[in-house]
Amino acid sequence: MTGPARRLGLVHTVPALAPVFHDLILDAAGQLDVAVELIHLTDPWLLHAAMSAGVTPDVLVRLDSHVAHLRSQGAAGILVTCSSLGEATEEIPAAHSGTPVIRIDQAMADHAVELAGDNGRIAVLATVDSTIGPTVRLLRRSGTQAGMAMSIETETLTAAGQARAAGDDQRHDALVVQAAVRWAVPERADVVVLAQASMAHLADEVADAGRVAVVSSPRLAVGRLLARRHV
């Protein structure tokens, strides 16, 4: 790899996602022949707070403090990996404008809109309600920016979320795949969005079983992070 290592920061709310993103970034950086050094910061409270009371001022202040810390450690780019905090990520004060702070789902939304096309139908699936609203608003914004109209339907897979919270990942995965395959047919949708990073490992399985495009956020977000000129 050429050049000095580029330091990148990641803010997680799910501890299990830190090694997932670590490997994704190292793999993508290796393909680009770019050396990177990663700093992971994990704070489950942010997600718990967003799920129970929404993105409150306390959530914004705490997320901002994490971004400030990573920037102070030399991070040239920061990725917030929680979809429930997408809109909060965009509210990070201008004081951090010298460091790109990227929301996990922006690249996913842009890609979903592109795949769906004008007047396309997008199905959004999540296991917690706190992800649905931000994802739908983001998709509509991406559609507007692309000059495309679309219809969006959503489903919250509460039982899958409960299974994951209880540590039953096998049941979580089975419930997500079962629901997603129901949506992944041309009669219902043109694109299925697995709105949380914790669902992304199931995208290929759903795509193989269904008949429409299936998108998730991690790889697309990592690609956007590494593509930023500042990074």
Side-chain angles (χ1 to χ4, degrees), residues 76-226:
I78 297 167
L79 176 63
V80 179
T81 67
C82 179
S83 52
S84 293
L85 299 179
E87 291 170 332
T89 300
E90 294 184 344
E91 293 187 39
I92 297 299
H96 304 305
S97 61
T99 303
V101 182
I102 296 174
R103 62 182 290 176
I104 182 67
D105 46 7
Q106 181 66 67
M108 177 186 71
D110 294 343
H111 189 49
V113 167
E114 179 183 6
L115 290 172
D118 198 21
N119 296 311
R121 299 161 301 158
I122 299 177
V124 176
L125 306 185
T127 63
V128 293
D129 284 328
S130 59
T131 294
I132 294 291
T135 303
V136 169
R137 290 188 288 273
L138 178 61
L139 285 164
R140 294 203 182 283
R141 185 178 74 185
S142 291
T144 298
Q145 292 174 343
M148 295 182 184
M150 72 195 69
S151 63
I152 301 174
E153 295 192 67
T154 68
E155 183 177 354
T156 303
L157 311 178
T158 304
Q162 292 171 340
R164 186 174 184 85
D168 191 346
D169 290 345
Q170 185 174 359
R171 176 168 169 74
H172 165 273
D173 290 359
L175 290 171
V176 170
V177 170
Q178 183 182 45
V181 169
R182 290 200 309 269
W183 283 100
V185 293
E187 296 80 11
R188 300 193 72 183
D190 299 302
V191 178
V192 172
V193 171
L194 301 181
Q196 294 161 232
S198 57
M199 308 164 77
H201 65 289
L202 303 171
D204 289 344
E205 183 176 350
V206 175
D208 289 342
R211 290 182 284 145
V212 304
V214 179
V215 298
S216 58
S217 58
R219 290 188 184 279
L220 292 167
V222 165
R224 184 158 293 191
L225 174 66
L226 292 174

